[in-house]
Amino acid sequence: MTTTSKVRASGLPGAPPLPKRHKGGGTWAAWYLVAPALLLLAAVIGYPLVKAIYLSLFSDTIGGTSEFIGLGNYRTALTGDGAGDFWSALRVTGLFTFFSVALEVAIGLAMALVMHRAFRGRGLVRASVLVPWAIPTAVTSVLWRWMLQPEGIVNHLTGGSTLWTGSQWPSRAAIVIADTWKTSPFLALLILAGLQLIPDELYEAARVDGAGAWRRFRSVTLPLLMPSLMVAVLFRLLDALRIYDLPQLLTGGANGTTTLSMLVVQSSIQQTKFGYGSALSTLTFLIIFGVALVFIRFMGTSLLPADDEEGRTA
């Protein structure tokens, strides 16, 4: 106990009084502060979600009255006539998510490490790296569709004659390449913010102890960067699971490139199956929510600073 604390606790004359704690006052103030955000989330997210779940319980009768069918639309999507399209879209979405996120994390980490170094023109490099991320997705899709033509610049540089959007695996690879090119700067920006929080004194101490570059990266950079890295992966993971615009504009869902979000739009808007489309959107939401929950559950310790983690375990 410090000297000031001892004086206050002893009740000596002239000692400042201890502040009084109001029970419940802080809790109500916190609710008042977050109430506007909660109301906004309820209006923007809560109502559409509840409405989609409600519509998914009714049949699709064009020009007539919809009938309550319970979980009929869900059975159709999971085990019925639409099961083939649903599970295929789920596999494609998972494939895109795995490869694109893995490549983006590796490239984004490398870019962040380069941008974190002190060199002349670092500000210009940081600004230029963010250009792909700033370009609208529609422009990115048209740009890459032009470059991936049989006579495009990609085949010219590689010396091949691949028809990138003409068959299954080249089409999928084209989407992963375009998505990685566009989104890697976003992860680099988030990782760079985490790198700037690491004190330089730790690197100096590691150098004094004789640690090389790889040892410093493995023992200093990576452990302290893990919270920022995991947050970046979580954001990108949730975004990749609902990918729609890039494959829609690049391939139109042809050659086995239809994702879950594309299937939802095709069913609810193009085929006017609002009940079935609502069931697909609800299933997509549950899948994304489940992935986020599992990620936070098993990687949650990496999302917290060391002090918070010790306090929670205590």
Side-chain angles (χ1 to χ4, degrees):
M1 183 180 295
T2 62
T3 305
T4 304
S5 301
K6 292 180 179 179
V7 171
R8 291 180 178 178
S10 61
L12 296 176
L18 293 174
K20 297 181 180 180
R21 295 184 178 180
H22 300 280
K23 296 182 178 180
T27 303
W28 283 110
W31 278 109
Y32 288 144
L33 291 174
V34 302
L38 294 178
L39 292 176
L40 182 61
L41 289 175
V44 176
I45 300 177
Y47 174 76
L49 178 62
V50 173
K51 186 66 173 180
I53 296 174
Y54 174 78
L55 292 176
S56 68
L57 303 178
F58 290 84
S59 63
D60 296 308
T61 304
I62 301 177
T65 303
S66 298
E67 299 179 356
F68 180 80
I69 58 174
L71 300 179
N73 287 322
Y74 295 94
R75 285 193 293 268
T76 301
L78 296 175
T79 59
D81 297 335
D85 294 335
F86 174 78
W87 293 112
S88 175
L90 180 60
R91 287 192 297 268
V92 170
T93 304
L95 185 71
F96 289 161
T97 301
F98 176 79
F99 283 103
S100 62
V101 172
L103 289 174
E104 288 161 11
V105 169
I107 296 175
L109 179 59
M111 294 168 61
L113 291 173
V114 172
M115 291 188 293
H116 185 60
R117 298 177 63 89
F119 58 89
R120 181 175 298 179
R122 183 175 62 175
L124 179 61
V125 172
R126 290 181 177 181
S128 61
V129 161
L130 294 177
V131 170
W133 182 48
I135 296 177
T137 305
V139 178
T140 300
S141 302
V142 175
L143 176 66
W144 276 97
R145 187 168 57 186
W146 172 75
M147 291 193 299
L148 293 172
Q149 293 292 327
E151 298 82 12
I153 188 173
V154 174
N155 283 336
H156 178 74
L157 293 176
T158 59
S161 58
T162 304
L163 186 60
W164 288 96
T165 58
S167 56
Q168 185 179 83
W169 287 105
S171 298
R172 294 176 176 178
I175 295 174
V176 172
I177 293 172
D179 189 63
T180 302
W181 177 82
K182 176 176 174 55
T183 318
S184 293
F186 172 69
L187 269 75
L189 186 64
L190 295 179
I191 297 172
L192 178 61
L195 285 173
Q196 293 178 339
L197 297 177
I198 302 177
D200 294 334
E201 291 78 5
L202 296 178
Y203 293 107
E204 294 297 334
R207 291 191 185 95
V208 171
D209 291 339
W214 171 247
R215 180 68 178 182
R216 293 195 302 269
F217 173 78
R218 187 167 58 90
S219 301
V220 178
T221 303
L222 199 57
L224 296 178
L225 186 62
M226 194 58 64
S228 300
L229 186 61
M230 290 298 101
V231 170
V233 172
L234 178 61
F235 283 173
R236 186 62 198 121
L237 186 66
L238 300 183
D239 192 37
L241 287 172
R242 53 186 179 86
I243 186 173
Y244 169 78
D245 45 6
L246 187 61
Q248 175 65 35
L249 295 172
L250 193 60
T251 64
N255 302 315
T257 56
T258 300
T259 63
L260 284 174
S261 297
M262 295 173 65
L263 186 63
V264 171
V265 173
Q266 292 174 4
S267 301
S268 58
I269 297 179
Q270 299 177 3
Q271 302 176 7
T272 64
K273 297 180 179 179
F274 299 108
Y276 182 65
S278 298
L280 291 175
S281 65
T282 303
L283 290 173
T284 303
F285 167 77
L286 292 176
I287 292 172
I288 296 175
F289 181 78
V291 170
L293 191 64
V294 171
F295 185 90
I296 294 176
R297 175 65 180 84
F298 289 98
M299 303 298 295
T301 55
S302 299
L303 301 177
L304 297 173
D307 296 339
D308 294 343
E309 183 179 349
E310 293 175 359
R312 187 181 65 172
T313 55

